[in-house]
Amino acid sequence: MRTLLYSLVTHWKPHVPVCTILGLEEGKECIIVGTLYKHMQLKPCVLDEYSKERSAVPPVKPQNFMHPDDHLVLEDESGRVKLGGTVLSPSTYVTGGVVALHGKETTAGDFLVLDVFEAGLAPQIVPQLKSSEDKYVVFISGVSVGSSTSNPLQFQLLVDHITGHLGDEQEQGIAAEIVHVVFAGNSVESPLGLLNGQNLASKDQSRVSEAVQVLDILLSQIAAGVSVDIMPGSNDPANFALPQQPLNRCLFPGSRTFNTFNSCTNPHCFELDGVRFLGTSGQNIDDLKKYSEARDELEFMERTLKWRHLAPTAPNTLGCYPFTDRDPFLIESCPHVYFVGNQDKYGTRILEGSEGQMVRLISIPKFCNTGLAVVLNLRNLECHTLSFGAQPSTLKTFNDA
């Protein structure tokens, strides 16, 4: 990222010299490039967590660790400097972002930021929209089979719709045009209290595996007619650290017999009909929500694309496998569709870049809470939702429609 930003700042402000933090001179304007570090008073500490565990009063976990006294520090290979001014808002940025800053050193030793430059959207291959007729991709997230909030009837309605066993001729005609289904994380949920590190009794073992068996039965119905990608999430039986490895195919004895069934990584990147997809199961956006603020999930998604990094807070506050020679979360090629699963509500918009890039952003809500699946048309990248209710009145309305 540093090499990339060095090449871009020459076009941004060619008349301003670029220097290192150690080479700053008081009052002299220059550009410095480095990694942001956000000093936060409320950021959790391992030692604090240990002391809270030993206390009689159980700790209350806040949903957001923002504080008015938070401030940013820029760090490069030579040193670090505290950032001042009103241009760079601590509420917007998080630890791990790489930026170029135009400013000058003050008498107090801080760096007064006058302007900020981010990498922006990565170069994008022009989408080859090969489809002249409607083709649909369905995104589902947070099914949570086995949880108290999951409704088996609701999920079965979704499966029946995808497989063309629900609705009138028009609905079945639309279902026939579904070419791909993506499960974006948290497809199963084990009963609380069972997975505590202790050996399980035989009856408890069956309770843990029951959710996976139910999921496998439903996935086999979909995979029999259309290709399916399933990504691991934070609650699924997969490794915790990002990038998460595919769910073991042994978990799906029925689905794995179909060559249309694909167990995928998280993050997941794939291509259909010349359209490039990139998505996660939501851990990267959920972590950004804790350490920064935005209007909605889509704005967090925009920031990761503009910073060219899927998970800027990893490994600081988000678990990440240690890579020594490369960063797997760098966005080297801008996708045409960027989706994030397990969010509170559905949202979508088009993000346009300075070089003509266009990205369809999709925030996929938790299916177990909302009953919503998201449908994307490959012909024009337009989106809409499918709503499935499990109440008798909702079912009647759905069937009439």
Side-chain angles (χ1 to χ4, degrees):
M1 286 297 294
R2 178 178 58 190
T3 306
L4 171 69
L5 282 171
Y6 276 149
S7 65
L8 294 175
V9 293
T10 55
H11 304 286
W12 177 45
K13 294 191 176 180
H15 59 284
V16 183
V18 180
C19 68
T20 61
I21 291 175
L22 203 61
L24 289 175
E25 297 180 19
E26 184 181 330
K28 183 180 178 182
E29 290 190 17
C30 65
I31 293 174
I32 53 176
V33 176
T35 307
L36 291 172
Y37 173 78
K38 190 171 181 177
H39 181 78
M40 306 183 72
Q41 292 189 7
L42 302 180
K43 179 182 171 184
C45 173
V46 174
L47 296 178
D48 292 341
E49 291 294 322
Y50 176 73
S51 63
K52 288 174 184 175
E53 285 178 7
R54 297 178 63 87
S55 65
V57 182
V60 178
K61 293 186 177 181
Q63 298 299 314
N64 188 281
F65 300 104
M66 297 287 296
H67 190 275
D69 294 335
D70 293 344
H71 64 267
L72 293 168
V73 172
L74 192 77
E75 187 177 87
D76 67 6
E77 70 277 14
S78 67
R80 52 168 38 193
V81 62
K82 184 179 177 181
L83 304 176
T86 58
V87 175
L88 203 66
S89 172
S91 64
T92 303
Y93 291 87
V94 293
T95 297
V98 181
V99 295
L101 302 177
H102 171 214
K104 57 186 176 182
E105 187 180 19
T106 64
T107 53
D110 298 345
F111 188 78
L112 179 63
V113 180
L114 303 175
D115 203 358
V116 186
F117 182 78
E118 299 168 351
L121 298 187
Q124 184 183 58
I125 300 171
V126 178
Q128 306 294 325
L129 298 177
K130 302 174 183 177
S131 179
S132 57
E133 52 190 34
D134 293 334
K135 288 184 180 179
Y136 297 105
V137 180
V138 179
F139 297 94
I140 310 114
S141 183
V143 176
S144 298
V145 176
S147 72
S148 58
T149 56
S150 175
N151 192 320
L153 176 57
Q154 203 173 34
F155 192 17
Q156 185 65 57
L157 283 172
L158 170 66
V159 174
D160 288 345
H161 176 80
I162 293 173
T163 54
H165 293 96
L166 194 68
D168 56 17
E169 289 185 8
Q170 182 182 358
E171 287 289 332
Q172 291 177 357
I174 294 174
E177 294 167 341
I178 296 174
V179 296
H180 201 75
V181 179
V182 179
F183 284 83
N186 289 358
S187 299
V188 296
E189 187 171 314
S190 300
L192 291 173
L194 288 182
L195 302 180
N196 54 8
Q198 304 298 319
N199 290 330
L200 291 176
S202 57
K203 62 176 183 178
D204 290 334
Q205 289 179 7
S206 63
R207 285 180 62 196
V208 171
S209 61
E210 184 179 352
V212 182
Q213 291 171 1
V214 171
L215 178 65
D216 181 40
I217 292 170
L218 294 167
L219 286 178
S220 338
Q221 298 176 35
I222 301 176
V226 64
S227 61
V228 180
D229 289 352
I230 182 167
M231 300 162 55
S234 56
N235 296 336
D236 290 321
N239 62 304
F240 170 77
L242 294 179
Q244 287 182 290
Q245 298 306 297
L247 293 168
N248 198 307
R249 293 176 64 87
C250 294
L251 296 170
F252 308 103
S255 307
R256 72 183 186 203
T257 59
F258 297 95
N259 58 8
T260 52
F261 175 78
N262 304 297
S263 186
C264 307
T265 60
N266 170 37
H268 180 32
C269 181
F270 63 98
E271 192 171 310
L272 285 175
D273 276 12
V275 178
R276 187 169 181 269
F277 293 77
L278 175 66
T280 73
S281 295
Q283 294 100 316
N284 58 333
I285 302 301
D286 292 340
D287 203 58
L288 287 178
K289 289 180 191 175
K290 296 178 184 177
Y291 300 98
S292 60
E293 293 175 341
R295 295 189 307 272
D296 53 20
E297 286 91 353
L298 296 176
E299 188 172 349
F300 286 118
M301 294 171 66
E302 284 185 15
R303 289 176 188 172
T304 58
L305 288 177
K306 290 177 180 176
W307 296 338
R308 298 198 192 185
H309 204 283
L310 272 179
T313 53
N316 184 44
T317 54
L318 186 63
C320 167
Y321 184 84
F323 288 83
T324 56
D325 55 342
R326 64 185 183 90
D327 188 340
F329 304 115
L330 281 179
I331 302 173
E332 298 177 359
S333 177
C334 189
H336 304 117
V337 179
Y338 177 33
F339 63 91
V340 171
N342 297 293
Q343 300 307 299
D344 296 328
K345 59 183 180 180
Y346 164 71
T348 183
R349 75 167 68 114
I350 292 287
L351 174 63
E352 298 184 9
S354 58
E355 298 177 0
Q357 303 100 321
M358 293 187 66
V359 188
R360 166 65 71 179
L361 306 177
I362 306 175
S363 168
I364 310 168
K366 297 175 184 174
F367 185 81
C368 63
N369 295 340
T370 63
L372 292 178
V374 182
V375 181
L376 174 82
N377 192 337
L378 276 177
R379 181 172 59 83
N380 50 20
L381 301 187
E382 290 185 354
C383 270
H384 67 272
T385 58
L386 290 174
S387 179
F388 298 90
Q391 299 299 324
S393 59
T394 314
L395 279 176
K396 184 177 185 302
T397 306
F398 181 80
N399 289 333
D400 290 344

